[in-house]
Amino acid sequence: MVAIASLLAYSLAVGARIRFPTHSPTYYRFALRFSGLLLVASLLSLLFPDSWHHVPYMVFFMYLMSECFAWVRMIGRLAYQQAVHGFLCVLFYLFAHHRRVTRARQLPLTFVL
């Protein structure tokens, strides 16, 4: 049943990718990987003996967790970049404001001809 359901999910993901090519390719890619690997794991579990039939599902689960951690790592990296960008913008503003204040106190430049 899992193999048939994942085959249907894979077919629907491919059909949606063909029908709507401009909508979020990362979700399509994840859906294709998820359903394709689940299909392979379920078919491999049929080939293994009864004592080993859970091994392909464990490999699938570990791969799925690595994908989820990669997404969390990517979101964390984006948040870090935004925080650093905001911090640098504040520092630049303060530095520019400090330079304006210190330059305003200086005497004007004069030229001797």
Side-chain angles (χ1 to χ4, degrees), residues 35-48:
S35 58
L37 286 174
L38 184 59
L39 175 65
V40 170
S42 62
L43 290 177
L44 279 177
S45 71
L46 293 175
L47 297 176
F48 285 161

Side-chain angles (χ1 to χ4, degrees), residues 3-4 19 33 54 78:
I4 293 171
R19 175 89 169 124
R33 284 182 187 169
H54 62 282
L78 288 174

Side-chain angles (χ1 to χ4, degrees), residues 84-97:
V84 167
H85 177 69
F87 181 71
L88 290 177
C89 286
V90 168
L91 280 180
F92 179 73
Y93 172 76
L94 292 175
F95 180 71
H97 180 70

Side-chain angles (χ1 to χ4, degrees), residues 4-15:
I4 293 171
S6 59
L7 179 63
L8 288 174
Y10 185 82
S11 301
L12 287 173
V14 169

